[in-house]
Amino acid sequence: MIGTTISHYKILEKLGEGGMGVVYKAQDLKLDRTVALKFLPEHISAGSGELERFIQEAKAAAGLNHPNICTIHGIEESDGKNFIVMEFVDGQTLQEKKSSLSMKQALDVGIQIAEGLAAAHEKGIVHRDIKPENIMIHKDGRVQVMDFGLAKLRGASRLTKEGSTVGTA
């Protein structure tokens, strides 16, 4: 996929992959900015619950405007591929950075995560998958919560079966 253009986004490099999608760094050719594109994995069919959850993630995060939550620019579909267009965070995950943090830095990271989650909770959104891999730290130290793929929205229909587990153990 690297080097191809989907819609008006040129795929530059793969950033990561998880259970709910593959994320690429891309160039928005219309607005001339770097973005991140999160695609559903190819094995997930368009009529599945995973697509509903993918769309729910976009809606949940798009309704949030906070410096400690990744900004969602939109959800798009091109050539049968659904993807979320989001802010590109130039930094590292907390997982990658945690061993090099001082106590003061770790406390600052924790406070910023709590502030982002508090803003989500005020909007009736519970993340449900907080882990070091879903926290990005910018080069300037600003922290952002990512990946609302398992988020629970107040008043939304249940996408999780009774008795099932979501998220990372």
Side-chain angles (χ1 to χ4, degrees):
M1 222 163 145
I2 295 168
T4 63
T5 300
I6 295 179
S7 182
H8 57 276
Y9 302 99
K10 181 171 180 159
I11 308 295
L12 303 174
E13 67 181 272
K14 184 176 178 179
L15 297 174
E17 185 170 357
M20 282 300 293
V22 182
V23 181
Y24 293 93
K25 179 179 177 181
Q27 184 68 27
D28 181 335
L29 301 174
K30 280 188 179 178
L31 297 176
D32 193 28
R33 65 179 172 182
T34 304
V35 295
L37 305 179
K38 182 176 183 178
F39 290 87
L40 271 174
E42 299 213 8
H43 69 276
I44 294 175
S45 67
S48 68
E50 283 87 355
L51 179 58
E52 281 185 62
R53 188 169 318 211
F54 187 77
I55 292 168
Q56 178 174 300
E57 171 186 358
K59 287 180 179 179
L64 301 171
N65 181 14
H66 191 274
N68 298 119
I69 296 174
C70 179
T71 301
I72 300 295
H73 300 305
I75 186 164
E76 299 188 25
E77 187 267 329
S78 179
D79 299 324
K81 296 177 191 241
N82 291 286
F83 57 98
I84 297 173
V85 182
M86 63 185 119
E87 169 184 7
F88 169 70
V89 177
D90 190 12
Q92 294 179 292
T93 66
L94 178 56
Q95 179 66 29
E96 296 167 321
K97 198 157 173 73
K98 67 183 182 182
S99 63
S100 66
L101 293 175
S102 69
M103 181 63 75
K104 182 181 181 316
Q105 290 170 318
L107 287 170
D108 183 52
V109 166
I111 290 167
Q112 290 186 63
I113 293 168
E115 288 173 350
L117 292 175
H121 294 173
E122 285 176 18
K123 298 280 188 173
I125 299 167
V126 179
H127 190 283
R128 299 197 311 171
D129 197 24
I130 291 296
K131 59 186 177 183
E133 294 87 347
N134 287 341
I135 306 296
M136 290 293 295
I137 303 174
H138 287 256
K139 290 182 176 180
D140 67 3
R142 186 166 51 100
V143 174
Q144 285 187 299
V145 178
M146 314 287 287
D147 198 356
F148 279 76
L150 299 176
K152 174 82 172 106
L153 286 79
R154 180 176 45 227
S157 65
R158 292 177 61 113
L159 294 178
T160 307
K161 292 180 189 136
E162 188 77 32
S164 69
T165 304
V166 296
T168 305

